[in-house]
Amino acid sequence: QKEVEQDPGPLSVPEGAIVSLNCTYSNSAFQYFMWYRQYSRKGPELLMYTYSSGNKEDGRFTAQVDKSSKYISLFIRDSQPSDSATYLCAMALTGGGNKLTFGTGTQLKVEL
Amino acid sequence: ETGVTQSPTHLIKTRGQQVTLRCSSQSGHNTVSWYQQALGQGPQFIFQYYREEENGRGNFPPRFSGLQFPNYSSELNVNALELDDSALYLCASSLVGDPSGKLFFGSGTQLSVL
């Protein structure tokens, strides 16, 4: 079993839809939770970062962490074609340095 | 665009050869890490360097090695290339003392091993 599970998709939605992306994990010691966006032939770009449990909002993006359920989510409101990319969840331990554990990524396509 | 630059962008090698990939960190960042991303997978942590020394390693064999230079640039070396080494290799930089794992990635080097 992988430490971090993520549905690879692909997920196709119409423009303006609310998108929900999710990851589950098995290591209860993870404290830092991130969402990265990766366009084709590019490196991952940090979108959202959350420490421990709770919600964080940034513009059209909302990240949620539920440590009791070992479940994290990313919501995208009013989705745009430019949001079409692969979304990677990532997690880190306290004192883990730069060692992130990534999910496999969910491929999202937002259609006109 | 992050300030992390990688070279070359693409590389083709044959099995058994050796390869060196290069990375220039974002200004002010003194920690660099390397990740391997196979097709359809998330990045896998190879190792990280701080103060020119390796101070964390993932589940990769010793034929994967690295260097960090005083100007914080870095190299990833892979010896005795295998077909399964074909992947996108990503360099990421960060500030030491930031425990959050916020990394800034380059665009990667796409390595094909034939």
Side-chain angles (χ1 to χ4, degrees):
Chain A
Q1 184 188 4
K2 291 183 177 179
E3 273 192 292
V4 180
E5 298 280 355
Q6 184 175 9
D7 187 336
L11 178 63
S12 184
V13 301
E15 183 179 10
I18 297 174
V19 176
S20 172
L21 304 168
N22 311 292
C23 288
T24 58
Y25 63 95
S26 57
N27 188 346
S28 58
F30 285 134
Q31 290 286 349
Y32 297 93
F33 303 91
M34 288 138 279
W35 287 94
Y36 283 83
R37 178 175 63 194
Q38 186 173 28
Y39 292 112
S40 181
R41 299 186 187 89
K42 295 288 188 182
E45 169 196 12
L46 181 64
L47 267 181
M48 299 290 287
Y49 147 77
T50 310
Y51 172 71
S52 194
S53 283
N55 296 355
K56 187 169 184 178
E57 187 173 321
D58 184 1
R60 297 185 295 112
F61 299 91
T62 299
Q64 290 185 349
V65 175
D66 181 349
K67 290 192 69 181
S68 62
S69 301
K70 298 191 184 73
Y71 187 87
I72 71 170
S73 301
L74 177 71
F75 298 95
I76 307 174
R77 291 180 297 281
D78 187 25
S79 55
Q80 303 295 310
S82 58
D83 294 328
S84 298
T86 295
Y87 290 79
L88 297 153
C89 64
M91 305 176 191
L93 304 171
T94 298
N98 287 358
K99 182 180 179 182
L100 303 187
T101 301
F102 282 87
T104 55
T106 298
Q107 187 179 350
L108 171 67
K109 184 172 184 180
V110 180
E111 303 199 58
L112 290 167
Chain B
E1 285 285 332
T2 71
V4 181
T5 56
Q6 292 187 243
S7 63
T9 54
H10 295 84
L11 202 53
I12 299 174
K13 291 285 188 178
T14 56
R15 192 171 49 182
Q17 284 188 313
Q18 178 266 343
V19 69
T20 298
L21 311 181
R22 294 179 173 83
C23 172
S24 177
S25 298
Q26 181 155 316
S27 177
H29 285 183
N30 50 15
T31 302
V32 67
S33 52
W34 287 89
Y35 284 77
Q36 180 196 65
Q37 187 175 21
L39 190 63
Q41 301 295 317
Q44 298 280 319
F45 175 75
I46 302 175
F47 44 53
Q48 74 174 29
Y49 277 80
Y50 170 62
R51 288 186 175 174
E52 303 169 48
E53 290 192 0
E54 183 182 303
N55 71 343
R57 190 175 185 95
N59 189 25
F60 280 82
R63 59 189 185 83
F64 285 79
S65 64
L67 286 172
Q68 185 186 29
F69 301 100
N71 64 355
Y72 306 132
S73 64
S74 176
E75 287 182 356
L76 166 66
N77 299 290
V78 187
N79 293 321
L81 283 167
E82 301 177 359
L83 297 180
D84 285 349
D85 295 333
S86 295
L88 181 67
Y89 287 85
L90 296 162
C91 170
S93 70
S94 67
L95 273 172
V96 73
D98 181 348
S100 66
K102 293 181 196 175
L103 301 184
F104 297 86
F105 284 88
S107 291
T109 294
Q110 184 65 54
L111 173 65
S112 298
V113 182
L114 305 178

